[in-house]
Amino acid sequence: MVPPLVLDIDGTMTRPDDSIDPRFFDLLPDWEAPVVIATGKAFPYPVSLCHFLQIPELVIAENGGIVLANDEVTRNGDGDAARRVAEEYREAGHELGWGEVDLTNRWRETEIAVQRDQPLGPLSELASEYGQEVVDTGFAYHVKSSGVSKGMGIKAVAELLGRDLEEFVAVGDSENDVSTFGVVGESYAVANADEKAKRAAGTVIDESNSEGTISVLEEVREWP
């Protein structure tokens, strides 16, 4: 039987040009076990991806800040605190980096994201003052409540689905996937993953980005 999956989006389901690999649109709808999309992106993005993939909406968004499973939405973390961090960061003369129309944070509920070319030191200091922490996903600095993580999210999803965490296979590429790798049965980091993800993963794949993820799915689909 095929195992349930936990899949990151950016750097994992995407090709090097950041587009979703179209092969997932054929592969995942026929997957005979739950597929959980776990991402640092704002809540609407993974929900929309599930819709267009035509798979059940099993979502961990905003690095564990929002969990959706069995039509039940759970919000974790203090979004107000993250927004206060962003406000003070701007008042100190810095920017979030997304321009005047900030679509990266527009629908974000439990955290804020800052472009990685912005100063990290003052952001981390402010985050600490408000009980927040900064995680570097390789695509942005995310200011989120301490203790909130994708790993916490998959624990909640597994419980709602009545599945054992040891059944799940996770694929990811970033620091924010480390907590997931620590709780599931099998974990894979694609070749483009950061060092923290590679150290935490059970297996580091030779292939990068979506190519690596699809190679994992093809392998585990053949498990007895």
Side-chain angles (χ1 to χ4, degrees):
M1 294 179 64
V2 299
L5 304 173
V6 189
L7 301 179
D8 173 54
I9 298 177
D10 291 306
T12 304
M13 294 180 69
T14 55
R15 298 179 291 192
D17 64 359
D18 292 338
S19 63
I20 294 289
D21 194 314
R23 289 176 291 178
F24 287 112
F25 289 88
D26 293 322
L27 184 58
L28 294 181
D30 294 328
W31 199 260
E32 297 176 356
V35 177
V36 182
I37 304 298
T39 180
K41 287 187 175 297
F43 188 37
Y45 288 88
V47 172
S48 296
L49 181 57
C50 289
H51 170 77
F52 289 115
L53 286 167
Q54 288 294 286
I55 61 175
E57 293 169 345
L58 299 173
V59 163
I60 300 165
E62 302 180 20
N63 296 300
I66 303 182
V67 175
L68 168 62
N70 289 354
D71 295 323
E72 181 178 330
V73 177
T74 304
R75 289 171 177 81
N76 308 300
D78 187 349
D80 289 337
R83 286 184 283 274
R84 287 195 293 271
V85 170
E87 182 178 352
E88 291 199 22
Y89 190 67
R90 291 193 192 95
E91 289 174 355
H94 310 298
E95 298 293 335
L96 302 189
W98 309 111
E100 194 168 328
V101 181
D102 182 357
L103 299 182
T104 298
N105 289 305
R106 183 180 182 90
W107 301 285
R108 203 171 290 272
E109 299 182 37
T110 65
E111 59 167 34
I112 61 107
V114 179
Q115 204 167 71
R116 294 178 74 249
D117 61 1
Q118 302 301 306
L120 176 59
L123 183 67
S124 297
E125 290 176 11
L126 284 169
S128 180
E129 290 178 17
Y130 284 95
Q132 305 281 289
E133 63 183 5
V134 179
V135 61
D136 181 359
T137 65
F139 291 85
Y141 298 134
H142 294 250
V143 179
K144 65 180 187 63
S145 295
S146 298
V148 173
S149 68
K150 289 186 183 181
M152 183 185 73
I154 190 58
K155 286 180 181 179
V157 171
E159 184 174 350
L160 286 168
L161 295 178
R163 305 295 293 246
D164 191 324
L165 280 166
E166 287 293 319
E167 297 178 65
F168 284 84
V169 169
V171 189
D173 76 310
S174 182
E175 176 182 339
N176 65 340
D177 297 307
V178 169
S179 60
T180 303
F181 292 170
V183 298
V184 298
E186 298 285 342
S187 56
Y188 296 82
V190 287
N192 54 291
D194 64 30
E195 288 306 312
K196 289 184 178 180
K198 287 180 177 178
R199 288 196 300 269
T203 303
V204 178
I205 311 160
D206 291 334
E207 299 92 343
S208 296
N209 299 94
S210 60
E211 201 68 46
T213 303
I214 288 172
S215 72
V216 171
L217 269 53
E218 289 175 343
E219 177 184 337
V220 302
R221 188 169 52 181
E222 301 302 321
W223 284 0

